[in-house]
Amino acid sequence: MVSTRNHPSNFPPPDLSPSKPTSTTGTPEPTASPSKIDNSSPRKSSTALTKPRGPSKRSSTSTAASKTGGSWSHTPSHIVLLWLTISLPLVAWDTSYIFLRPYSMPGGSLHAPIWKPYAIYANVDLVYGFPAWDAKDGFTAAQASLNVVESLVYLAYLFVVERYGVESGKVMGRGKEAAGLWARSWWGRARVVGGGKGGTAVLLGLVGSVMTASKTVLYAMNEYHSGFKHTGHNAFVDLLFYYIIPNGAWLVFSTWMTYVFSAEILEGLSLAAGAAEEESNGTKEE
């Protein structure tokens, strides 16, 4: 019977680690501590590769506000509000006259008393009179159709101002609080429309004013290039008081409104650009 060979003592466990060169002196080399890691390795921790994020883009408005003393907001002009209150009913009156022709014209069943003043104006501007109606001139109704769109835009602007405007005594500029009895009126109160609603209001105001100005210029250019066939028969005094001054008022106010709303948009863009530049500089410094 073959017996199993026994050793006087157990063998030590095998060393499975990669072979290391031994020192000539017989002294084992010290083991590298975990804190001394070779950073030249191509693999780096995800933490080392991650850069600190700069300020959020959402903070750009507040950053710009800190520079200017407050965030951008729309302050409705008292003159704009007053002009829209006067002009919108007049435009509705004019547009309804055109769409109800010939009943709204002199001799029609609807002429008096609402459109009786058009008996004078239709003889001054034949675009509103029987010559254009009998010739089936489409320009009159075409510009009236634009009146409808233009009025809806203005009404939307007034709705945003009234619904989302907040009264504030700290408003400066065109929308600052008026004095005396004017301050107690709806037009004289100081309002602020901030945030996206303020941007919507300014955009609506700009679109409406550009439509009014361009339509008025188009009306005058159509008369000029047609050889004044609708107004050339008038004496200068009649033309001045019944044609030039009324139409000129729409041109002057709409042009001024275009300037006002454009200036506010540029102010907001400048504020946003300054915030973006400050954010970019802050990111580079980090």
Side-chain angles (χ1 to χ4, degrees), residues 65-91:
S66 64
K67 294 177 62 179
T68 59
S71 58
W72 179 89
S73 60
H74 171 54
T75 57
S77 168
H78 305 315
I79 298 178
V80 170
L81 296 178
L82 180 61
W83 169 249
L84 291 180
T85 306
I86 296 173
S87 63
L88 283 176
L90 293 176
V91 172

Side-chain angles (χ1 to χ4, degrees), residues 243-262:
Y243 186 84
I244 296 177
I245 292 179
N247 289 286
W250 260 262
L251 181 60
V252 170
F253 278 101
S254 61
T255 302
W256 183 78
M257 289 167 58
T258 301
Y259 164 75
V260 170
F261 290 120
S262 299

Side-chain angles (χ1 to χ4, degrees), residues 82-195:
L82 180 61
W83 169 249
L84 291 180
T85 306
I86 296 173
S87 63
L88 283 176
L90 293 176
V91 172
W93 181 49
D94 182 82
T95 304
S96 58
Y97 166 83
I98 294 174
F99 285 146
L100 292 175
R101 293 177 304 166
Y103 306 104
S104 58
M105 302 177 74
S109 59
L110 301 177
H111 176 67
I114 300 177
W115 292 286
K116 192 172 183 178
Y118 277 90
I120 300 175
Y121 187 78
N123 288 324
V124 174
D125 184 3
L126 299 182
V127 170
Y128 282 75
F130 284 102
W133 173 257
D134 295 336
K136 298 186 182 300
D137 190 343
F139 179 78
T140 312
Q143 63 93 16
S145 301
L146 292 179
N147 285 345
V148 175
V149 179
E150 171 189 315
S151 298
L152 290 176
V153 172
Y154 283 138
L155 288 174
Y157 169 78
L158 293 176
F159 170 78
V160 174
V161 169
E162 177 63 22
R163 175 66 177 80
Y164 300 101
V166 179
E167 294 189 25
S168 174
K170 299 180 180 179
V171 177
M172 302 300 294
R174 301 181 184 89
K176 66 180 180 181
E177 186 175 4
L181 294 176
W182 179 248
R184 302 177 185 178
S185 65
W186 182 83
W187 305 276
R189 291 181 293 176
R191 297 177 180 84
V192 174
V193 186

Side-chain angles (χ1 to χ4, degrees), residues 43-55:
R43 294 185 178 182
K44 295 183 180 181
S45 63
S46 59
T47 306
L49 292 176
T50 304
K51 295 181 180 180
R53 296 181 179 179

Side-chain angles (χ1 to χ4, degrees), residues 8-19:
S9 62
N10 295 330
F11 288 104
D15 186 8
L16 300 179
S17 61
S19 59

Side-chain angles (χ1 to χ4, degrees), residues 178-240:
L181 294 176
W182 179 248
R184 302 177 185 178
S185 65
W186 182 83
W187 305 276
R189 291 181 293 176
R191 297 177 180 84
V192 174
V193 186
K197 301 299 182 183
T200 300
V202 174
L203 182 60
L204 289 170
L206 179 63
V207 169
S209 59
V210 170
M211 287 187 65
T212 304
S214 58
K215 181 173 60 64
T216 306
V217 172
L218 177 64
Y219 196 92
M221 290 297 99
N222 177 70
E223 188 63 19
Y224 171 78
H225 290 290
S226 65
F228 301 98
K229 69 176 184 179
H230 301 108
T231 59
H233 61 282
N234 293 285
F236 177 75
V237 175
D238 295 336
L239 192 66
L240 177 65

